[in-house]
Amino acid sequence: MKIRVILFLIFSFYSCKEVQKENEELIINKEFVTDNDNKTSRGSDVVINTDRPVNNLNQLEGETLSGWLKLGLSEKKILNELGDGVIMGKQEYSQVDGEYYQSWDYEEKGISLVMRVDAQESEKFVAEIKLTYPCNMTTSHGIRIGSSEEEVYNQYKGNISKEDSNKEVVVIGSIYEGVFFILKESKVTGIIIGSMAE
């Protein structure tokens, strides 16, 4: 609940300031490269021009938790890996994108997911990931709950949004699509992969 309050306050603050600059350059992580057509490929650090928010999952496909959990995974894969004990919320319609979403909470594992519902196939796919204590999953750069702020900055340097980051959150990418490290007393208390903006 505290994380949701913090995120609401952060979002309220950032919605009042300009987030996207024209012809802003963004450095993409070594593990994946996204071009302006949103195609992904492996390669070294590349600077690309982004003049609009990205509204798909492609840009974050390279960020994987403990080698398997990532955006876009099917409900079948989630159930196979995490098993029973999930608390499923009611499917809710989003007026922002016209899609249906459902919350999946594995409270004892510290994992919360937002699943996007494919109306045509009735399948669900991971649209957002939230980790809190006692989850011990690590990002593709080795950051987990309890990591220090300094470790986050060292591991993600070059990909941090200086405009959107502060002492309470480090934003990798942008608030439209990114990885968010929630901080308390310079320690990571939450990790979110997805979006802070609607």
Side-chain angles (χ1 to χ4, degrees), residues 11 13-22 24 53 161 163-164 171 173-176 197:
F11 175 71
F13 173 76
Y14 290 122
S15 64
C16 296
K17 69 184 230 182
E18 181 181 340
V19 177
Q20 201 80 17
K21 289 183 179 176
E22 283 187 21
E24 180 181 12
S161 171
E163 284 186 348
D164 300 323
V171 178
S174 77
I175 63 169
Y176 296 100

Side-chain angles (χ1 to χ4, degrees), residues 2 84 95 99 110 191:
K2 287 182 180 178
D84 297 329
Q95 293 183 351
E99 299 278 355
I191 300 171

Side-chain angles (χ1 to χ4, degrees), residues 185-196:
E185 297 177 357
S186 299
K187 294 286 185 183
V188 175
T189 59
I191 300 171
I192 299 172
I193 301 177
S195 175
M196 270 185 164

Side-chain angles (χ1 to χ4, degrees), residues 145-159:
I145 303 300
S147 293
S148 69
E149 181 180 8
E150 183 180 6
E151 288 175 299
V152 173
Y153 274 88
N154 286 339
Q155 291 300 315
Y156 286 92
K157 57 188 172 188
N159 296 302

Side-chain angles (χ1 to χ4, degrees), residues 34-40 52 56 58:
T34 306
D35 62 21
N36 286 335
D37 295 323
N38 296 322
K39 295 175 184 173
T40 58
R52 68 189 190 285
N56 58 52
N58 291 341

Side-chain angles (χ1 to χ4, degrees), residues 165-193:
S165 300
N166 57 43
K167 291 187 176 183
E168 295 178 339
V169 63
V170 179
V171 178
I172 312 303
S174 77
I175 63 169
Y176 296 100
E177 182 181 62
V179 182
F180 312 100
F181 296 100
I182 310 303
L183 304 173
K184 184 175 181 182
E185 297 177 357
S186 299
K187 294 286 185 183
V188 175
T189 59
I191 300 171
I192 299 172
I193 301 177

